[in-house]
């Protein structure tokens, strides 16, 4: 097995770019899963592993995981520990890295998914990771990312989902309003989280079997075009003086009510 020691090695350059650049991930259709926990999730999730890398210390410490990766990956390489400063996205790297294909769920699967959550221009990676993990935990059929949402395969989001992004169908769409209208024609009811005179109180809403609940941007909420594509609006009652909830918390509460 080849041992990579130079930071100028093309594979090391690609690893570093995939960690830092959304454009590189989108153009290549791949992302990096870093660390032993995510390596286990990659193996369990059946993802395509293009390349696997490990320091000799990590391979000895996590022998079973590394051997499984070597069997699954198209290529495997030893990695000098001195290179981890260039490629790792964490302070204390564990020495294992996988370059995997980004899962692409079939567009027609959206129609069969049942209970869906849609995110309109959600920007914060931490919120997105929380939402994807919660959607997986509560059994949602999938998540639709509309507009310029944060990248669900950025290192921070992948880590915070704890592998949920490998299991949960996630669809990226350019025109969320049109997607909602298409789903309505398939029998879905679309709810937008918003405050208006007709908004229904969460906890009193009966969600149909085919439902899409929409959460908006952290600062500006749901865009007018997307909100116009929703049949109904809903809000989360609050007793304190806070004006609103964090987007991740709001989505979690709606997911619980929608999927319970």
């Amino acid at each position: 097995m080849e041992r990579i020691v130079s930071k100028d090695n093309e594979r090391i350059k690609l690893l570093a770019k995939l960690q830092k650049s959304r454009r590189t991930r989108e153009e290549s259709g791949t992302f990096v899963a870093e660390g032993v926990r995510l390596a286990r999730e990659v193996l369990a999730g059946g993802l395509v592993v293009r390349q696997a890398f490990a320091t000799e210390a990590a391979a000895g410490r996590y022998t079973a995981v590394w051997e499984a990766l070597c069997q699954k990956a198209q290529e495997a390489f030893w990695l000098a520990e001195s290179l981890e400063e260039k490629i790792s996205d964490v302070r204390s790297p564990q020495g294992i890295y996988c370059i995997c294909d980004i899962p692409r769920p079939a567009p027609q699967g959206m129609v069969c998914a049942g209970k869906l959550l849609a995110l309109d221009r959600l920007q914060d990676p931490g919120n997105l990771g929380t939402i994807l993990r919660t959607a997986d935990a509560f059994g949602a059929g999938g998540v639709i990312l509309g507009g310029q949402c944060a990248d669900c395969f950025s290192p921070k989001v992948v880590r915070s989902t704890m592998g949920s992004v490998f299991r949960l169908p996630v669809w990226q769409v350019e025109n969320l309003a049109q997607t909602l209208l298409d789903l309505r024609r398939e029998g879905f009811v679309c709810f937008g989280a918003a405050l208006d005179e007709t908004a229904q109180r969460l906890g009193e809403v009966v969600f149909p079997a085919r439902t899409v609940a929409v959460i908006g941007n952290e600062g500006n909420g749901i865009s007018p075009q997307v909100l116009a594509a929703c049949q109904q609006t809903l809000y989360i009652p609050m007793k304190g003086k806070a004006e609103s909830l964090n987007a991740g918390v709001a989505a979690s509460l709606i997911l619980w009510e929608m999927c319970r």
Side-chain angles (χ1 to χ4, degrees):
M1 192 182 302
E2 180 184 347
R3 187 170 189 268
I4 302 174
V5 298
S6 172
K7 65 180 180 180
D8 295 322
N9 183 283
E10 291 302 317
R11 293 185 176 89
I12 297 304
K13 290 181 179 179
L14 177 60
L15 267 171
K17 283 184 178 180
L18 286 171
Q19 292 277 53
K20 297 175 182 177
S21 168
R22 178 174 188 166
R23 181 175 179 178
T24 301
R25 291 190 291 271
E26 291 176 345
E27 290 180 349
S28 68
T30 61
F31 73 101
V32 177
E34 177 181 351
V36 65
R37 172 65 183 267
L38 287 178
R40 291 192 180 107
E41 295 290 352
V42 163
L43 291 166
L47 273 66
V48 174
V49 182
R50 299 289 179 182
Q51 297 174 337
F53 304 81
T55 63
E56 292 184 36
R61 188 177 300 117
Y62 310 112
T63 304
V65 172
W66 177 240
E67 289 179 351
L69 282 175
C70 288
Q71 292 178 6
K72 187 174 180 61
Q74 297 174 7
E75 297 180 289
F77 303 91
W78 296 118
L79 194 67
E81 291 186 19
S82 60
L83 298 176
E84 290 197 272
E85 183 178 350
K86 180 178 178 69
I87 62 175
S88 177
D89 190 65
V90 298
R91 290 184 178 179
S92 301
Q94 294 181 316
I96 289 183
Y97 307 83
C98 311
I99 296 181
C100 306
D101 282 2
I102 293 174
R104 303 289 191 190
Q108 58 268 28
M110 204 184 297
V111 177
C112 306
K115 303 288 181 66
L116 296 167
L117 187 75
L119 306 177
D120 182 22
R121 302 167 298 126
L122 197 81
Q123 295 294 303
D124 185 80
N127 281 338
L128 179 56
T130 296
I131 290 168
L132 294 177
R133 187 175 175 184
T134 305
D136 180 30
F138 291 163
V143 174
I144 304 168
L145 306 182
Q148 293 300 311
C149 279
D151 180 9
C152 63
F153 286 96
S154 70
K156 183 174 182 178
V157 175
V158 170
R159 278 198 310 275
S160 64
T161 68
M162 301 290 281
S164 290
V165 72
F166 305 156
R167 297 182 291 270
L168 183 74
V170 180
W171 294 275
Q172 179 78 51
V173 300
E174 291 188 11
N175 190 332
L176 180 55
Q178 185 59 55
T179 298
L180 296 178
L181 293 174
D182 292 342
L183 287 171
R184 285 174 58 173
R185 283 191 285 271
E186 296 291 341
F188 281 79
V189 178
C190 301
F191 293 84
L195 288 175
D196 64 28
E197 295 179 356
T198 63
Q200 299 182 69
R201 186 184 176 99
L202 186 67
E204 298 177 356
V205 177
V206 177
F207 291 100
R210 286 187 160 191
T211 291
V212 186
V214 185
I215 298 291
N217 173 270
E218 291 90 344
N220 301 311
I222 300 174
S223 67
Q225 298 87 348
V226 171
L227 193 60
C230 298
Q231 292 113 306
Q232 300 183 47
T233 54
L234 57 87
Y235 76 100
I236 300 169
M238 296 183 294
K239 292 184 178 180
K241 295 182 179 180
E243 292 184 0
S244 62
L245 292 170
N246 168 275
V249 173
S252 298
L253 292 170
I254 291 172
L255 280 164
W256 165 250
E257 285 291 336
M258 184 169 65
C259 296
R260 69 186 175 91

